[in-house]
Each structure stands twice: as C-alpha cells, then as structure tokens.
Amino acid sequence: MNHVVDLRSDTLTRPTAAMRQAMADAPVGDDVFGEDPTMNELQRRVAELCGKEAALFVPSGTMSNQIAINAHTQPGDEIICEYGCHIFNYEGGAPALLSGVQLHPLHGQRGVITAEHIQTAIRPKDHHFAQTRLIEIENTHNRAGGAVFPLDEIQKIRSLADEHDLKMHLDGARLWNAYVATGISLKEWSVCFDSISLCFSKGLGAPIGSILVGSAEFIDCAHRYRKIYGGGMRQVGVIAAAALYALDCHIERLAEDHKRAHQLALKLIELGAYVDLEATQTNIVIADCKGCGRISSEVNSELARHNVLAIPVSPSRIRFVTHLDIDDDDLAVAMNAFECVLS
Ligand code: TLP
C-alpha cells in the first residue's frame, strides 16, 4: 500500500511506542471518586503550569469549551467571539443548545479582535438586550492559519472585561503552539483568563483528551457540568499517562512542525497559491488556490491521487496541518505533489 502523507489535521497523530508504554504502566483508580493518581497528577501539573488553582480533564476540546461556557453564563446571555472561531463554526451550535446563550461574532483580522472593537459590541444594561457575559478568544487561531493572538491585545481586552465585569475564556486547544512560537509561557497567557481549555490530542500527539483550567470555584462548577454531559470517566490514568508523557516529550518538538509548515507555505507561494505568511506562525497552512485559477475541492482530490491529504476550508482555500507523524520525507512527498498538481 502507498504511504499516505496525512496533513488533514494534527488530531490524526497516533500514540508512539513510548507513549503506549507509559499508558500501560500507569497506576489507575476511579476518577469519578477522584481516586485516579495519574489523573490527579496531570490535573495538578497543568493547573501549576497555567498558574491557576485547579484543572479538570475532559474527553474533548469541544466539551471543555462548552463546559466553560455553561459555567460562566446564564441562558439568554451573550458571548463576544471572533467570526472564524471554533465555538461558532465547529461545535454544532452547542452554546445555544447546551447553555441557551447566543454568540456575537465580530470580524477580526487573522483571528484577532481588538479591545476597541469589542468595546463597541458590549451591550448596554437595558432590558431590550441580551446581557454580554463572556469574551472568548482562540489562540492559536485555527481558521486564521494557526496565527498567534498577540499578548498585549489580550491584556487590553482583560482590562476592558474587568471594567464591564465580564469573564474571559480561552480556547487554547493549541496554546502549546503559541508558547513554542513566541516563548511566552502558559502562565503569562493564562493570567488574563478566567478559564483556559487546552488539548492533548492535537499537536501534543496524545490519543484523547483536553483539560479545563481555572479557579477552584470555577472547576468545582465545571465538575458538575462534566458529569451532566456524561464526561465523568473511571480508570482514566491510562489516558492521563499519555498526556503526561506528551507534556514531557512533545511540547518543545512543536518547533519542528512549525518549521515544516513554513516550508510548505513557501513552496505553495512559489507555485502561485496565496498564503498569508504573517498568519503562518505555527503548524497550520491555509492556501488560497484562486491565484492558480483552481478551486480547493479539485486541488484536494488531485493531491489525494498523489497520496497527500488535506482539507478544503472554503471553495478557494485548503488547509494543511503538520504534526508529530509528519517527518522530512513526508514533507518532500507533499512538496512534490504540490508541484505535480499546481504547476
Ligand atoms: N479542531 C479540529 C476540527 O474540529 C476543525 C481540527 O481538525 O482542527 N478548539 C479548536 C481551536 C480546535 O481546532 C478544535 C478541533 C477544538 C477546539 C475541538 O476539539 P475536539 O475535536 O477535541 O472536540
């Protein structure tokens, strides 16, 4: 069978042999009773990494974001977010379904919405309006091509949130990538937020899981929602061990994914596609094929014939994601396929 270079997502990684060994060796207990020692260690470690009081493991990034939304809001509230963000585009309408809230998406630039812009969207206290309760930020920003949200703008948004008594949630599914790209620690990002969701099953290469971080009071409330959503699990030490292994061994190596993504972007540009290099700061490349006179679904099918998989994200744009299972040989195969399909 031909070797396939799968650039559809960094969620596709498979646990390495060493990670599987760590999983096999993990001490376990019943986590609904709070008795899984490996999970307790993971939650303690991530809370400490983020400089917060507590953390709660959940099965997915979607559940993590939705629990945070539920815990921060009341039905009828409104959340300010960016138009391309995951909670607005890819979570099945969950904020309306599960929390009874509406989203107020603002058009940003490279996934960034400014404090100045947000200020104009905060609803006055008037019975005609939904009450603005939460500001949601995504960092790195998936649909903006893995762009990092600048810390100084986040700090301005925090001051604004404090003035208006609003909470802030970070969808940090790929915050690890933002840390590696900028050197800004998880603590420095996290101090601006009331809650942070981080994923182990994307760039870090673990098979399952995300974690929600915040104050002890917030996590206590989140714990109840996790139970309600059916996310309370039992001998989870086996998956916590994979996440712990990823924290030890797979964070710093994200720099390799970023370098390979940059190389892919340069190649695509050379072949006439448009890639916003300023946004391409981490492991995601979004190429616009309009300049080559092509539509993304057609480019995607042709690449697949050359054993390279990607995802069209609009009629003209196609997404490539580098990850743990993509090495330099895979990169060469992908570049060769780009040449065959685009030149
Ligand atoms: N993103 C997936 C798809 O859902 C689009 C991907 O392939 O990139 N926040 C962000 C920023 C994400 O990119 C994702 C997954 C999630 C949350 C949700 O995580 P899961 O899939 O664990 O629910």
Side-chain angles (χ1 to χ4, degrees):
M1 208 176 86
N2 279 331
H3 176 67
V4 171
V5 177
D6 201 336
L7 298 165
R8 285 173 301 164
S9 182
D10 48 8
T11 59
L12 287 149
T13 55
R14 274 168 282 225
T16 61
M19 184 181 274
R20 284 175 190 258
Q21 191 58 53
M23 294 169 79
D25 293 344
V28 297
D30 189 327
D31 185 51
V32 172
F33 286 94
E35 291 173 7
D36 187 292
T38 313
M39 182 52 78
N40 290 342
E41 168 61 8
L42 175 68
Q43 291 175 164
R44 189 200 60 71
R45 225 173 117 182
V46 178
E48 188 183 293
L49 262 178
C50 294
K52 296 285 188 203
E53 287 172 348
L56 185 71
F57 184 88
V58 294
S60 70
T62 301
M63 191 186 286
S64 195
N65 284 332
Q66 294 309 320
I67 288 176
I69 288 172
N70 222 328
H72 285 309
T73 61
Q74 295 295 320
D77 284 346
E78 190 168 85
I79 301 174
I80 296 176
C81 59
E82 199 277 331
Y83 199 80
C85 72
H86 200 274
I87 61 161
F88 182 52
N89 291 281
Y90 298 120
E91 299 191 8
L97 182 68
L98 302 173
S99 299
V101 295
Q102 65 187 23
L103 300 182
H104 186 161
L106 307 179
H107 284 281
Q109 253 240 308
R110 300 195 177 97
V112 174
I113 41 175
T114 62
E116 209 181 343
H117 193 180
I118 292 172
Q119 183 152 30
T120 64
I122 297 172
R123 305 278 185 185
K125 298 250 182 281
D126 177 308
H127 292 156
H128 287 84
F129 303 129
Q131 275 310 287
T132 309
R133 190 77 59 190
L134 180 68
I135 300 170
E136 194 263 0
I137 300 287
E138 188 173 308
N139 192 18
T140 63
H141 195 290
N142 186 342
R143 269 181 81 103
V148 177
F149 205 113
L151 183 60
D152 59 347
E153 197 59 48
I154 292 179
Q155 288 162 341
K156 287 186 202 154
I157 298 171
R158 178 74 260 180
S159 303
L160 179 71
D162 288 341
E163 269 171 47
H164 292 267
D165 199 19
L166 305 177
K167 300 285 187 202
M168 281 178 67
H169 173 68
L170 174 64
D171 179 351
R174 298 186 179 84
L175 190 64
W176 323 100
N177 298 79
Y179 153 64
V180 168
T182 60
I184 297 171
S185 69
L186 261 59
K187 255 192 201 129
E188 288 170 273
W189 294 111
S190 301
V191 73
C192 300
F193 293 92
D194 299 284
S195 56
I196 305 111
S197 165
L198 298 139
C199 293
F200 302 110
S201 59
K202 311 211 161 50
L204 293 200
I208 304 167
S210 297
I211 198 159
L212 191 55
V213 195
S215 68
E217 192 188 354
F218 169 80
I219 291 298
D220 188 49
C221 178
H223 219 116
R224 175 160 177 262
Y225 285 114
R226 185 182 72 173
K227 191 70 193 146
I228 291 168
Y229 288 2
M233 300 179 288
R234 304 296 177 172
Q235 285 71 31
V236 283
V238 285
I239 46 182
L244 281 167
Y245 179 88
L247 290 183
D248 289 333
C249 303
H250 290 169
I251 296 183
E252 301 302 334
R253 66 149 305 284
L254 290 172
E256 293 174 34
D257 298 344
H258 298 178
K259 193 169 138 220
R260 292 192 183 107
H262 188 74
Q263 287 170 282
L264 286 181
L266 292 180
K267 188 73 191 173
L268 287 159
I269 290 170
E270 185 190 311
L271 294 166
Y274 173 75
V275 179
D276 179 356
L277 270 185
E278 255 187 74
T280 315
Q281 297 159 22
T282 58
N283 67 327
I284 301 178
V285 181
I286 296 186
D288 197 313
C289 316
K290 258 202 308 277
C292 319
R294 307 290 294 276
I295 57 167
S296 59
S297 53
E298 181 189 288
V299 171
N300 197 47
S301 319
E302 284 183 36
L303 285 174
R305 262 180 252 130
H306 288 82
N307 298 315
V308 173
L309 305 184
I311 292 189
V313 289
S314 79
S316 67
R317 300 186 321 147
I318 183 161
R319 183 184 84 157
F320 305 90
V321 187
T322 54
H323 52 76
L324 184 62
D325 291 350
I326 299 296
D327 61 17
D328 284 334
D329 292 340
D330 296 318
L331 198 72
V333 171
M335 300 232 200
N336 188 42
F338 291 170
E339 278 192 14
C340 296
V341 172
L342 293 173
S343 52

